[in-house]
DNA sequence: TAGTGGTCTAGACCACCTT
DNA sequence: AGGTGGTCTAGACCACTAA
């Protein structure tokens, strides 16, 4: 029997969690009101509220005004992925980081992105191909489009010192974005760059970010063979 | 100029966000104490605390007792992935769902999982191969190991009606787990099952869950060609 | 050791929604 | 229409930690 501090919101959360896990409160079932729980635990309603709010954020209970709080029927698995700047990811593994800009030019927006980049279609965008290294071994291959309306200063930068990713984070913060993950087969170009063999399955990520209505950048990252994205749930 | 209600914690959050985006507070810079901000906004410190706590959760500021609150230098991209039960994912796309159990037997725990499943090494585990369909087209191929110590009732279930995933969510809730994503090449078996061509890159997910110390299940899902996992940030 | 964020309280009002 | 969660207040004490 573990003692739990039922005056702290985390303690109360543990107790509630246990009741859900032990099926004292069945999936779909209505649980007592905040006021009742507060009385039971001898604490303020605010404290119970904090605990329940936390459970609701993780998807374990569903709260509705007037309808009360129910144990979720199919608690969705929510996983929080932290997508670091590649330099930090590499360095946090104790490896040395380096990147190399393979290509840099202005070009028309590729048709693929017309939907996302609805602004400034007539304007050229800055296109970059970059290879990221971990301990001098290829780590990821990056293709990026930068909207120069959103980041005019980028026009004069080579991105040899600081990576475009890092520069943009500091100089053109985004408000929201789309992110997707998928698998691609290595073509011959990728093979040479990433030390892969032709056709090998590679993990890829694509991201588009905006600042309000203004598109900032599109980036497609393809990781070297063996890459796994991990998280805890 | 947008008016913002600075008496609500969300309103205050917006104002603080704007100051960070507009670099009124530079990355790495210390921002005013909760008490000062509360005075500025004419609200209780609790309300400012709520706003700052939210910004800290999303990684935009870093809070430390005694040291104060700083704007994050490299705000990590945090993305919350919602990994639904496959049936719900398929049905939410307006497609019909069906699954088929291809194989079901007891076997010794594969060596690959010895590290994760430290309990009951002598015990056999239930092994399942399942194919999930969306509108009668293959959607994902699943290989699963179930620890019968954690879910004894699974021994007598065929999982033809309810999928193992769904059954486990209801009957053996987990407390935590590991999740990873990667890419695999389709081998000949996978090709036949998933309508892929040999060697095609497929998106894969692996998950191990525990209830406290007790491992519950290991599952490896390989999705049909073209699958993308998406989220917003 | 002093200053900062973290938390708790008791009370209040309100928005929302199910019945 | 009434009950529930959402939020705000003013004040207090505490835990942590940087200096």
């Amino acid at each position: 029997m573990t003692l739990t501090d039922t005056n702290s919101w985390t303690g109360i959360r543990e107790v509630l969690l246990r009741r859900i896990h032990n099926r004292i409160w069945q999936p779909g079932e209505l649980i007592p009101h905040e006021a009742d729980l507060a009385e039971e635990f001898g604490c303020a309603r605010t404290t119970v509220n904090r605990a329940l709010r936390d459970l609701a954020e993780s998807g374990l209970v569903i709260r509705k005004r007037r309808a009360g709080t129910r144990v979720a029927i199919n608690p969705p698995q929510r996983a929080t992925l932290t997508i670091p700047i590649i330099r930090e990811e590499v360095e946090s593994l104790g490896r040395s980081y380096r990147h190399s800009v393979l290509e840099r030019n202005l070009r028309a927006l590729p048709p693929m992105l017309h939907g996302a980049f609805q602004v400034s279609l007539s304007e050229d965008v800055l296109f970059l191909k970059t290879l990221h290294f971990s301990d001098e071994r290829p780590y990821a291959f990056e293709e990026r489009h930068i909207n120069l309306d959103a980041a005019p200063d980028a026009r004069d930068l080579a991105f040899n010192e600081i990576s475009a990713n890092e520069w943009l984070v500091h100089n053109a913060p985004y408000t929201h974005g789309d992110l997707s993950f998928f698998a691609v087969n290595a073509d011959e170009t990728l093979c040479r760059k990433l030390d892969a063999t032709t056709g090998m399955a590679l993990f890829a990520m694509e991201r588009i970010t905006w600042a309000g209505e203004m598109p900032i950048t599109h980036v497609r990252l393809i990781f070297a063979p063996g890459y796994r994205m991990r998280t805890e749930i």
Side-chain angles (χ1 to χ4, degrees), chain A:
Chain A
M1 188 64 188
T2 312
L3 284 187
T4 311
D5 175 8
T6 54
N7 274 350
S8 74
W9 72 269
T10 48
I12 290 173
R13 183 187 54 187
E14 291 319 308
V15 174
L16 302 179
L17 246 181
R18 217 175 299 152
R19 290 185 189 173
I20 293 173
H21 277 152
N22 296 346
R23 324 221 127 226
I24 292 169
W25 292 329
Q26 305 275 334
E29 189 179 336
L30 209 57
I31 76 176
H33 322 168
E34 293 187 348
D36 288 356
L37 290 170
E39 193 180 1
E40 175 191 343
F41 292 122
C43 68
R45 180 165 79 92
T46 318
T47 310
V48 172
N49 180 281
R50 180 81 193 269
L52 283 172
R53 196 159 21 96
D54 195 74
L55 292 177
E57 263 173 32
S58 66
L60 252 84
V61 301
I62 305 199
R63 321 196 70 198
K64 280 186 199 154
R65 283 166 150 130
R66 163 80 200 199
T69 302
R70 288 179 184 281
V71 179
I73 309 227
N74 288 326
Q77 300 209 12
R78 287 205 189 127
T80 302
L81 291 178
T82 302
I83 297 145
I85 290 175
I86 294 185
R87 178 176 64 73
E88 299 196 335
E89 183 174 21
V90 167
E91 289 176 350
S92 77
L93 295 170
R95 312 247 164 78
S96 71
Y97 171 78
R98 176 173 78 80
H99 75 272
S100 158
V101 177
L102 308 179
E103 192 177 325
R104 182 193 185 287
N105 51 57
L106 293 174
R107 55 168 67 176
L109 189 70
M112 180 190 82
L113 294 177
H114 281 185
F117 277 44
Q118 287 161 357
V119 191
S120 64
L121 276 183
S122 56
E123 189 73 62
D124 277 357
V125 297
L126 180 60
F127 176 73
L128 289 167
K129 282 190 187 179
T130 308
L131 198 50
H132 301 265
F133 296 88
S134 163
D135 272 355
E136 298 304 324
R137 301 186 49 185
Y139 187 78
F141 173 71
E142 171 183 321
E143 288 177 305
R144 180 185 292 272
H145 301 270
I146 299 175
N147 176 8
L148 289 171
D149 283 348
D153 294 345
R155 191 187 293 269
D156 306 316
L157 290 171
F159 297 113
N160 288 322
E161 302 303 320
I162 186 172
S163 72
N165 185 358
E166 210 159 341
W167 184 85
L168 284 168
V169 166
H170 288 63
N171 297 84
Y174 66 90
T175 56
H176 65 284
D178 282 347
L179 186 58
S180 62
F181 305 98
F182 51 101
V184 295
N185 286 104
D187 60 22
E188 288 182 19
T189 317
L190 277 173
C191 290
R192 280 199 302 277
K193 299 193 192 322
L194 289 176
D195 271 356
T197 56
T198 302
M200 190 176 260
L202 302 176
F203 186 81
M205 169 196 316
E206 205 163 48
R207 182 171 60 211
I208 301 180
T209 53
W210 290 265
E213 296 292 313
M214 170 91 78
I216 299 177
T217 192
H218 161 271
V219 59
R220 184 186 180 115
L221 274 168
I222 300 176
F223 292 88
Y227 183 85
R228 275 189 177 230
M229 190 162 62
R230 301 166 198 274
T231 186
E232 296 182 356
I233 52 179

